[in-house]
Amino acid sequence: MIYIKLFISFLQIGLFSIGGGYAALPLIKEQIVDINGWLTLQEFTDLVTIAEMTPGPIAINSASFVGNQIAGILGSIVSTIGCVTPSFIIVLILAWFYFRYKKLNIVQGILQGIRPTVVALIGSAGMSILSLAFWNTKGITLNLEDINVVAVILFAAALFVLRKWKPSPIFIMLGTGLIGIIVYHQW
Amino acid sequence: MRKKLPTYWTLFSSAFLLSAFTFGGGYVIVPLMKKKYVNQLKWIEEEEMLNMIAIAQSSPGPIAVNTAIMVGYKIAGVLGAALSTIGTVLPPLIILTVVSFFYQEFRDNMYISAMLKGMQAGVSAVIVDVVIGLSGNVIKKKEIFSIIMMITAFIAVFFFKVNVIIVILASGLIGMLMFLYRTRKGGMNHDLH
C-alpha cells in the first residue's frame, strides 16, 4: 500500500538525517528520486527551491510535498508522521536521560564544553545567511558593486530595532518581507 | 505533574507561530526559539537552552523538530513534547500541501521572491541579535576555556566546514577531559594537605 511505502521511506529519512538541513538532502533525493521514482530530478530541484522559500525543515517540507503529490492530503500527513517518528522516540529518550543525569558533575563538564560550541554553530549559520543576503551566491568579496545595498540597509535597520526595542522577531520578519515586496519588486 | 490548559496552549501556539515564520529551517528557528522560551516566556534558562539545542543537534531528524521535542518535554512532559512537535510540523505540512497543488506559479511568483529576499535580511538580523546576546554572555564570564572553545568551533564550522556532529562531540570530549583534569588536580591538592 502506498501509504505504508511513504511512511517507511520518510521514516528512514527521519532516522538517518543526522545534522539536519542540507545534510539530509542526498538522503531525501535517494529515497524520492532514485529508489521510488516519486519525483523527477527536475521536480526535486523545484522542491528544494520551494523548501527554501517556505517555512519549516526541508525534510518535513519534502514529506508534505511528495506525500500530497503521490497520495493526496492523507499521503502528506502519513509521510510527515513517518518523518518525525524517529526524532520523537530518540529525542524523548535523550531528554529523559538529560533531565535525570544533568546534575552529575561529569555531565556538567561535558555540557560546559559543548555550550560555547553551540553559540558558535548559531553564529556560523547566521554568517552564512548574512552572506547570502548581502552577496547573493557570489561569495564574499570586497568589491562594493557586488554588495546588495538594500539588504545591508534593511539588515542594519532590523538589527537596530531589535536591539533597541526588543520586538518579537515575527514583526521583523513581516516588516522586512513587506519592505522587500515594495523595494525589490519595483526594480 | 499536571499542567494547566493555558500552558499546553502556549506551548502549542508558540511552536506553531515560530515554525510558521521560520523561512529556511535549521538554525534559523533555533535563535527564534531561544528568544521566545528564554527571553519572552522565561520558561528555560539560557544555559539549559544551549544544552537542549546541543542534544537536538546531535540527534537524527530536523533540528527544529528535535528542539521542539526537548522544549515540550521540559515544560510539560511527553504530552508537551507531542503538542510542541505537532505545532512545529503543522505550518510546513499545511503550506507545502497547498503549494504542491500549484507549485510552478509559486516558484516563479515575483512578489513572493521579493518578499523572501527582504525577509532574508530580517532573519539575518534576528540571528545576529541572538548571537550578540549569547556570545556576550560567554565573554562576560571571562572563562578563557569557553571563549577559546567558541572561537575555535566557529572557525572549524564556518571556514573549514567541519561536520557539526564532530564539532559537538569533540567539544563534549574536551569538556569532559577538562573536568577530569580539574578534579584530579583538586584531588591531588587534597592529598598534599
Side-chain angles (χ1 to χ4, degrees):
Chain A
M1 213 169 99
I2 189 66
Y3 297 117
I4 296 171
K5 265 189 130 173
L6 282 169
F7 182 84
I8 292 174
S9 276
F10 282 97
L11 190 82
Q12 289 177 44
I13 290 172
L15 184 60
F16 295 114
S17 61
I18 300 175
Y22 295 99
L25 264 185
L27 199 76
I28 300 172
K29 179 190 160 278
E30 189 192 27
Q31 282 290 334
I32 295 174
V33 181
D34 305 335
I35 296 178
N36 291 298
W38 284 326
L39 296 183
T40 64
L41 194 58
Q42 177 57 48
E43 285 171 326
F44 181 74
T45 313
D46 288 345
L47 167 62
V48 175
T49 314
I50 293 167
E52 269 173 31
M53 294 163 67
T54 49
I58 189 154
I60 305 288
N61 287 342
S62 314
S64 311
F65 185 87
V66 174
N68 190 49
Q69 292 273 318
I70 300 302
I73 291 169
L74 189 59
S76 66
I77 295 171
V78 167
S79 308
T80 305
I81 294 173
C83 191
V84 296
T85 301
S87 283
F88 199 72
I89 296 166
I90 294 167
V91 176
L92 272 189
I93 293 170
L94 290 174
W96 185 84
F97 274 105
Y98 166 69
F99 288 113
R100 194 175 166 85
Y101 296 110
K102 68 174 177 179
K103 295 252 160 59
L104 289 183
N105 284 335
I106 189 143
V107 177
Q108 282 295 323
I110 294 170
L111 291 171
Q112 206 186 350
I114 289 178
R115 276 193 299 267
T117 299
V118 174
V119 176
L121 293 179
I122 298 173
S124 165
M127 283 299 289
S128 302
I129 296 168
L130 197 63
S131 64
L132 195 67
F134 285 6
W135 287 278
N136 290 322
T137 46
K138 284 174 193 153
I140 298 172
T141 60
L142 288 176
N143 189 347
L144 279 174
E145 280 172 26
D146 291 339
I147 296 176
N148 181 339
V149 182
V150 179
V152 175
I153 295 169
L154 213 50
F155 166 81
L159 188 61
F160 177 77
V161 171
L162 275 166
R163 303 284 322 159
K164 178 126 191 176
W165 290 289
K166 310 198 184 304
S168 163
I170 289 170
F171 292 117
I172 297 294
M173 302 293 291
L174 288 175
T176 48
L178 199 66
I179 297 171
I181 292 176
I182 296 164
V183 176
Y184 290 116
H185 189 64
Q186 286 179 347
W187 286 356
Chain B
M1 190 167 57
R2 272 184 70 84
K3 291 279 169 186
K4 292 203 180 89
L5 212 55
T7 308
Y8 289 126
W9 171 248
T10 311
L11 198 54
F12 173 81
S13 60
S14 303
F16 187 92
L17 282 175
L18 282 171
S19 179
F21 286 96
T22 305
F23 292 80
Y27 269 113
V28 176
I29 196 169
V30 167
L32 293 172
M33 283 176 158
K34 186 252 159 194
K35 242 181 140 52
K36 181 86 198 171
Y37 297 116
V38 177
N39 304 66
Q40 276 180 268
L41 292 172
K42 303 199 191 307
W43 276 355
I44 301 167
E45 279 172 25
E46 184 169 305
E47 287 200 345
E48 179 121 284
M49 190 72 201
L50 291 174
N51 296 341
M52 287 160 62
I53 293 168
I55 294 170
Q57 173 68 63
S58 318
S59 311
I63 180 168
V65 174
N66 293 351
T67 314
I69 296 169
M70 285 297 293
V71 170
Y73 181 78
K74 148 104 188 154
I75 303 303
V78 176
L79 182 60
L83 281 175
S84 175
T85 307
I86 295 169
T88 304
V89 165
L90 268 186
L93 178 65
I94 295 167
I95 292 167
L96 262 289
T97 305
V98 172
V99 164
S100 92
F101 284 116
F102 45 93
Y103 77 92
Q104 241 148 359
E105 290 84 343
F106 181 85
R107 189 193 55 193
D108 301 331
N109 190 298
M110 297 290 290
Y111 290 99
I112 291 177
S113 55
M115 179 187 78
L116 293 164
K117 192 76 197 138
M119 281 183 163
Q120 220 170 41
V123 93
S124 315
V126 173
I127 298 181
V128 168
D129 175 47
V130 170
V131 172
I132 291 172
L134 287 173
S135 55
N137 288 348
V138 172
I139 293 165
K140 257 185 248 160
K141 281 189 189 156
K142 293 188 177 148
E143 285 170 12
I144 299 297
F145 168 68
S146 298
I147 297 171
I148 293 173
M149 288 287 282
M150 185 170 73
I151 294 168
T152 315
F154 181 82
I155 292 170
V157 173
F158 188 72
F159 291 105
F160 294 101
K161 313 283 175 218
V162 180
N163 186 299
V164 171
I165 307 274
I166 292 172
V167 175
I168 290 182
L169 289 178
S171 55
L173 190 68
I174 294 169
M176 189 175 78
L177 293 175
M178 281 296 288
F179 168 79
L180 292 174
Y181 173 74
R182 275 184 199 147
T183 43
R184 231 186 99 202
K185 230 171 101 184
M188 274 164 66
N189 286 343
H190 265 290
D191 293 342
L192 289 172
H193 287 296

